[in-house]
Amino acid sequence: MEASKVIHAIYTDDDVLMSAVKTVKAEKHHIEEIYTPFPVHGLDRAMGLAPTRLAITAFLYGCVGISVATLMMNFIMIEDWPQDIGGKPSFSYLENMPAFVPIMFELTVFFAAHLMVITFYLRSRMWPFKKAENPDPRTTDDHFLMEIAVHNNEESLTNLLKDTGAVEINIVDKDEDAH
């Protein structure tokens, strides 16, 4: 089946890769995926990917953290077991709020950081014991791989990728490549 074939174009420089992505997108080819050993600034924009909404979730997780901190401190220090610490009576939460600010800050950061890591792993479908989907181990070291679907245009696409500076071009059956 022709639709399951992809071309793997390998590059050795991130600037050449960026230029190649722009050229391939200008020729109206769909790039399935790009594997890089480190984040390449502007690559998501060059590929035409939608902006991430992870920052919104970070804000929401921070709001959950500060809410938990406020409710927790109000219950523990004001309602359940009020104590006179350093001559400051615990009559209301607002009177003692300046002393609670560090705890509120720390729990906001704690919730945002931990829940963002979990969200990132779930969104990326990276869970424990999952096999790697990396088609070429060199992309974890110093190579960049662009994966493009083939639709009866192998020769023209191969020539285009050679012109963009690809050091290696492989046509792979994606069904067999799935580890």
Side-chain angles (χ1 to χ4, degrees):
M1 182 181 254
E2 195 69 31
S4 66
K5 283 190 175 181
V6 293
I7 288 185
H8 288 171
I10 296 178
Y11 298 86
T12 55
D13 184 68
D14 56 333
D15 292 328
V16 175
L17 172 75
M18 279 295 290
S19 174
V21 167
K22 291 173 185 173
T23 304
V24 169
K25 291 301 279 185
E27 294 290 325
K28 306 286 189 234
H29 294 288
H30 176 68
I31 299 172
E32 297 284 329
E33 188 66 74
I34 295 181
Y35 299 89
T36 64
F38 54 83
V40 178
H41 180 69
L43 186 59
D44 51 345
R45 209 172 319 112
M47 286 180 65
L49 299 176
T52 180
R53 294 183 303 263
L54 284 176
I56 296 168
T57 59
F59 174 75
L60 295 175
Y61 293 152
C63 290
V64 169
I66 200 165
S67 300
V68 167
T70 302
L71 293 171
M72 179 189 76
M73 289 181 300
N74 185 55
F75 177 74
I76 293 171
M77 299 300 290
I78 306 301
E79 293 176 19
D80 185 44
W81 196 340
Q83 298 177 40
D84 186 353
I85 300 172
K88 297 179 182 178
S90 297
F91 295 129
S92 75
Y93 181 82
L94 289 176
E95 288 176 333
N96 291 297
M97 197 166 113
F100 296 154
V101 168
I103 299 167
M104 292 164 48
F105 172 77
E106 291 298 332
L107 281 180
T108 301
V109 172
F110 179 86
F111 271 70
H114 286 79
L115 292 174
M116 280 304 298
V117 168
I118 292 168
T119 301
F120 174 75
Y121 283 144
L122 291 175
R123 182 70 180 99
S124 301
R125 297 187 172 103
M126 295 182 347
W127 31 77
F129 311 111
K130 182 177 187 240
K131 291 189 176 185
E133 296 177 3
N134 194 346
D136 192 328
R138 294 178 292 177
T139 59
T140 62
D141 188 21
D142 61 350
H143 285 64
F144 305 85
L145 186 141
M146 184 189 313
E147 185 177 272
I148 305 169
V150 175
H151 301 289
N152 295 324
N153 58 352
E154 289 178 26
E155 190 175 328
S156 64
L157 192 51
T158 303
N159 292 334
L160 174 67
L161 292 170
K162 282 180 187 171
D163 293 342
T164 62
V167 295
E168 185 179 322
I169 299 171
N170 302 313
I171 298 172
V172 179
D173 190 359
K174 195 161 186 162
D175 296 333
E176 291 175 9
D177 191 45
H179 299 278

